[in-house]
């Protein structure tokens, strides 16, 4: 049985998974590991090298994605047959690897150092994506439901998929809706565009959280809506400002405010619904990542409290499954549904029927529930680990904003540097962190800078690397 043993550098300059991936790649290219060899199981190798399973898994995924290794169902990972130009002499292979490694490590320009950790927001941890199940179900869709493939599908999304979705939304998010109220689309922005069309010219102004999701504001701005920013209190949108704004439409992220992460408490939710009732207002509730709440009871969607049809509920599979799948949905109250029915004939679906049918089977067979539970555990551990790293390495120089939910955190940095200085210093030390300024209409120049850190894709080791680099950069 193949063993992999080599010297792991522990100086922190190159992450372990990169070292492991490069070592195996070199061994394959130089044919020390011949084609057809089965790689050691993740657990065995992680125990052998005393590194985490995530590290081994990430290295393996990289080898798969570059075509050195393939996964054989229920059997393991095998080294593939290399093409001719890979069959270099050992010396040639070493030279090629050296050149490639050097190129990989070389800064793209003298001023841009290698990125060793990227806290990018909007990513997923695909190391835990059930690829084999998804592939099987996609094949099933292509074969057993092949009759579907010559159609565009229902502009609203297939009814059978919407039935699954309605059941999930009720059970998991407390959303009260029938499958007929759900519109499936390829992303929140696409659905917002459609929604604005349904709202028509009457509601040409919209109130938004300040700061708030720029993707939504971009849609409103493109459609020439007048956008009114409403400041946030510690517990979410300031309702007095909303009242005074005279707006009749508000876009809001009550279950995990984007980007600051606070949760709108029940009293404020009820008051917001009262505002809608008194002002003939409409609330667009974007529930984008609410599956991931790590402390306390789950907070049901605002839509579930609404008895007057004032809430348009929006959600997405981008956080919980993969942003590349592009399946999102909205739930329309009856009056808007009537307008939708009138124009439905003119529309084609935007989400792929192949993906939604696969997702439907994924839900029917119970994989979705399992996957969600698994990802919640994984993200919860990552979230807790990130918080402990922040306390350990950054201590009192920062304050974490947000409430134990979602796939990102916001750091308020109290060392006197500006936001752009903090980001520049981080990049110079090989770590990418992100500005929250784009989420403001009128950026807040008074408060200490707030920096956005996404963590979904990073392993615990990568996060530790990243926070340590931030400590050095911001010292
Ligand atoms: C608040 C909010 N809503 C929606 C989305 C994206 O949704 P989708 O992928 O469905 O377009 C994001 C993405 O980061 C987001 O931050």
């Amino acid at each position: 049985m193949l063993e992999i043993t080599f010297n792991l550098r522990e100086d922190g300059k190159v992450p372990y998974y990169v070292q492991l991936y490069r070592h195996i790649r070199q061994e394959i290219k130089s044919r020390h590991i011949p084609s057809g060899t089965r790689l050691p199981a993740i657990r065995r190798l992680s125990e052998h090298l005393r590194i985490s399973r995530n590290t081994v898994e990430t290295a393996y995924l990289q080898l798969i994605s570059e075509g050195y290794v393939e996964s054989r169902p229920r059997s393991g990972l095998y080294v593939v047959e290399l093409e001719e130009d890979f069959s270099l002499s050992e010396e040639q292979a070493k030279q090629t690897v050296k050149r490639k490694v050097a190129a990989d490590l070389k800064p793209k320009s003298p001023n841009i150092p290698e990125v060793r950790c990227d806290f990018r927001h909007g990513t997923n941890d695909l190391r835990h994506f059930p690829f084999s199940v998804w592939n099987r179900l996609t094949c099933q869709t292509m074969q057993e439901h092949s009759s579907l493939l010559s159609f565009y599908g229902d502009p609203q999304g297939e009814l059978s998929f919407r039935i699954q979705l309605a059941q999930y939304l009720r059970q998991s998010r407390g959303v009260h809706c029938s499958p007929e109220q759900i519109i499936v689309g390829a992303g929140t922005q696409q659905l917002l565009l459609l929604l604005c069309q349904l709202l028509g010219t009457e509601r040409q102004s919209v109130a938004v959280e300040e700061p708030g999701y720029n993707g939504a504001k971009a849609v409103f701005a493109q459609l020439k809506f007048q956008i009114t920013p409403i400041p946030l209190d510690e517990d979410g949108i300031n309702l007095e400002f909303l009242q005074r704004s005279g707006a009749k439409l508000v876009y809001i992220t009550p279950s995990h405010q984007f980007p600051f992460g606070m949760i709108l408490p029940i009293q404020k939710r009820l008051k917001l619904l009262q505002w809608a009732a008194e002002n003939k207002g409409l609330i667009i509730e974007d529930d984008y990542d609410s599956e991931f709440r790590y402390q306390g009871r789950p907070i049901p969607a605002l839509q579930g409290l609404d008895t007057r049809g004032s809430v348009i509920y929006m959600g997405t599979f981008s956080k919980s499954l993969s942003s590349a799948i592009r399946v999102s949905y909205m739930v329309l109250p009856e009056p808007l549904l009537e307008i939708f029915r009138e124009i439905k004939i003119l529309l084609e679906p935007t989400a792929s029927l192949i993906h939604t049918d696969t997702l439907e089977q994924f839900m029917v067979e119970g994989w979705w529930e399992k996957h969600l539970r698994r990802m919640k555990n994984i993200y919860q551990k990552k979230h807790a680990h990130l918080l402990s790293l922040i306390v350990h390495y950054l201590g009192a120089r920062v304050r974490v904003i947000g409430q134990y939910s979602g796939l990102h955190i916001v750091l308020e940095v109290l060392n006197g540097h500006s936001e752009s200085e903090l980001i520049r210093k981080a990049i110079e030390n090989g770590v990418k962190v992100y500005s929250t300024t784009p989420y403001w209409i009128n950026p807040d120049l008074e408060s200490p800078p707030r920096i956005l850190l996404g963590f979904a894709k990073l392993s615990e080791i990568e996060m530790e690397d990243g926070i340590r680099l931030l400590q050095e950069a911001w010292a």
Side-chain angles (χ1 to χ4, degrees):
M1 190 163 289
L2 176 71
E3 285 285 8
I4 293 176
T5 307
F6 71 110
N7 279 325
L8 273 168
R9 278 175 54 184
E10 292 182 2
D11 57 9
K13 289 200 171 131
V14 182
Y16 286 164
Y17 82 91
V18 176
Q19 294 186 49
L20 178 60
Y21 143 75
R22 285 179 186 163
H23 173 76
I24 300 176
R25 186 181 64 172
Q26 181 173 352
E27 293 292 281
I28 294 174
K29 286 180 115 178
S30 60
R31 304 213 176 246
H32 285 124
I33 304 181
S35 59
T37 307
R38 184 174 162 200
L39 293 188
I42 291 172
R43 184 169 168 175
R44 199 160 61 79
L45 187 56
S46 80
E47 282 167 5
H48 177 60
L49 293 176
R50 300 198 178 277
I51 54 180
S52 78
R53 285 188 216 169
N54 271 349
T55 303
V56 178
E57 207 173 338
T58 311
Y60 279 5
L61 277 177
Q62 187 63 28
L63 290 163
I64 294 171
S65 67
E66 292 187 13
Y68 290 99
V69 160
E70 67 185 5
S71 167
R72 297 189 194 157
R74 286 183 294 284
S75 178
L77 293 181
Y78 288 80
V79 176
V80 300
E81 190 67 53
L82 296 182
E83 287 169 19
E84 267 312 293
D85 59 344
F86 277 111
S87 48
L88 308 168
S89 71
E90 194 170 320
E91 196 40 44
Q92 282 171 315
K94 272 189 192 150
Q95 288 307 323
T96 316
V97 170
K98 262 192 204 157
R99 276 198 303 276
K100 278 210 95 185
V101 171
D104 286 351
L105 282 175
K106 212 165 99 191
K108 293 192 179 56
S109 94
N111 301 323
I112 305 174
E114 181 204 3
V115 175
R116 285 154 62 187
C117 181
D118 188 347
F119 283 101
R120 195 187 160 96
H121 152 72
T123 57
N124 314 97
D125 187 346
L126 292 183
R127 281 170 286 206
H128 303 279
F129 188 92
F131 281 106
S132 56
V133 173
W134 189 265
N135 291 347
R136 174 175 65 76
L137 295 174
T138 305
C139 287
Q140 195 175 305
T141 290
M142 306 289 267
Q143 286 161 5
E144 291 174 21
H145 305 173
S146 58
S147 60
L148 286 179
L149 302 181
S150 54
F151 295 103
Y152 280 76
D154 187 329
Q156 194 168 351
E158 296 311 292
L159 178 60
S160 50
F161 176 53
R162 286 184 279 121
I163 291 172
Q164 291 299 319
L165 204 46
Q167 198 179 331
Y168 160 67
L169 290 177
R170 171 175 284 273
Q171 286 171 3
S172 171
R173 301 296 307 128
V175 171
H176 297 290
C177 72
S178 67
E180 286 71 33
Q181 284 174 270
I182 299 179
I183 319 287
V184 178
T188 300
Q189 285 186 311
Q190 292 291 329
L191 288 168
L192 271 177
L193 272 169
L194 173 60
L195 174 63
C196 290
Q197 242 178 312
L198 301 179
L199 292 171
T201 51
E202 261 172 52
R203 293 180 198 265
Q204 289 282 14
S205 94
V206 60
V208 296
E209 293 159 313
E210 171 83 321
Y213 177 44
N214 53 354
K217 284 184 276 188
V219 172
F220 299 132
Q222 206 177 2
L223 296 176
K224 308 258 182 308
F225 273 51
Q226 187 195 324
I227 304 174
T228 309
I230 310 290
L232 299 178
D233 301 327
E234 284 284 315
D235 59 357
I237 194 162
N238 182 308
L239 295 174
E240 284 77 45
F241 268 86
L242 176 63
Q243 182 73 45
R244 268 186 270 137
S245 74
K248 297 260 184 273
L249 176 67
V250 61
Y251 163 86
I252 184 171
T253 47
S255 294
H256 187 225
Q257 201 281 331
F258 187 85
F260 279 0
M262 62 274 278
I263 295 163
L264 200 71
I266 182 76
Q267 299 81 353
K268 266 193 152 174
R269 287 173 186 238
L270 294 172
K271 279 190 189 157
L272 184 60
L273 290 170
Q274 197 182 334
W275 163 86
E278 288 168 4
N279 295 279
K280 292 205 176 94
L282 276 178
I283 302 161
I284 306 172
E285 173 181 23
D286 184 352
D287 205 29
Y288 68 110
D289 71 354
S290 54
E291 291 91 354
F292 302 116
R293 175 159 163 76
Y294 311 128
Q295 234 182 35
R297 295 206 184 92
I299 309 239
L302 176 67
Q303 195 267 8
L305 294 171
D306 176 32
T307 51
R308 291 187 160 88
S310 313
V311 177
I312 298 129
Y313 176 86
M314 310 196 80
T316 178
F317 285 94
S318 292
K319 309 288 168 185
S320 46
L321 198 60
S322 155
S323 42
I325 282 176
R326 309 310 299 134
V327 179
S328 308
Y329 43 88
M330 69 177 166
V331 175
L332 293 180
E334 193 53 46
L336 286 171
L337 200 56
E338 268 172 37
I339 306 174
F340 175 77
R341 286 193 193 109
E342 281 167 25
I343 64 163
K344 182 175 167 175
I345 186 87
L346 305 170
L347 304 173
E348 297 296 357
T350 54
S352 154
L353 190 47
I354 297 173
H355 289 337
T356 52
D357 191 66
T358 304
L359 188 46
E360 182 187 325
Q361 304 316 316
F362 195 69
M363 292 172 118
V364 169
E365 290 189 11
W367 295 105
W368 164 240
E369 207 185 308
K370 221 183 267 177
H371 178 65
L372 209 50
R373 221 179 309 127
R374 187 168 187 218
M375 293 319 294
K376 195 171 160 175
N377 268 331
I378 288 165
Y379 289 141
Q380 181 160 20
K381 280 197 195 121
K382 288 190 185 197
H383 183 267
H385 188 63
L386 180 58
L387 294 188
S388 70
L389 290 171
I390 288 168
V391 171
H392 180 72
Y393 286 104
L394 302 173
R397 273 168 289 162
V398 300
R399 183 171 80 96
V400 178
I401 302 181
Q403 288 176 16
Y404 300 98
S405 298
L407 306 181
H408 71 272
I409 58 158
V410 172
L411 276 188
E412 188 168 70
V413 188
L414 310 165
N415 64 359
H417 290 306
S418 68
E419 186 191 77
S420 56
E421 276 170 344
L422 292 168
I423 292 172
R424 181 178 51 74
K425 280 172 181 288
I427 289 178
E428 282 169 2
N429 208 35
V431 56
K432 275 182 107 173
V433 291
Y434 292 84
S435 162
T436 50
T437 301
Y439 306 117
W440 294 80
I441 290 174
N442 304 308
D444 173 14
L445 303 173
E446 304 294 311
S447 308
R450 277 86 171 248
I451 303 288
L452 187 81
L453 269 65
F455 61 84
K457 194 168 181 269
L458 299 175
S459 68
E460 293 195 355
I461 292 172
E462 288 166 326
M463 280 195 271
E464 174 143 19
D465 243 8
I467 297 296
R468 210 175 27 74
L469 291 168
L470 274 187
Q471 179 202 30
E472 288 168 15
W474 293 348

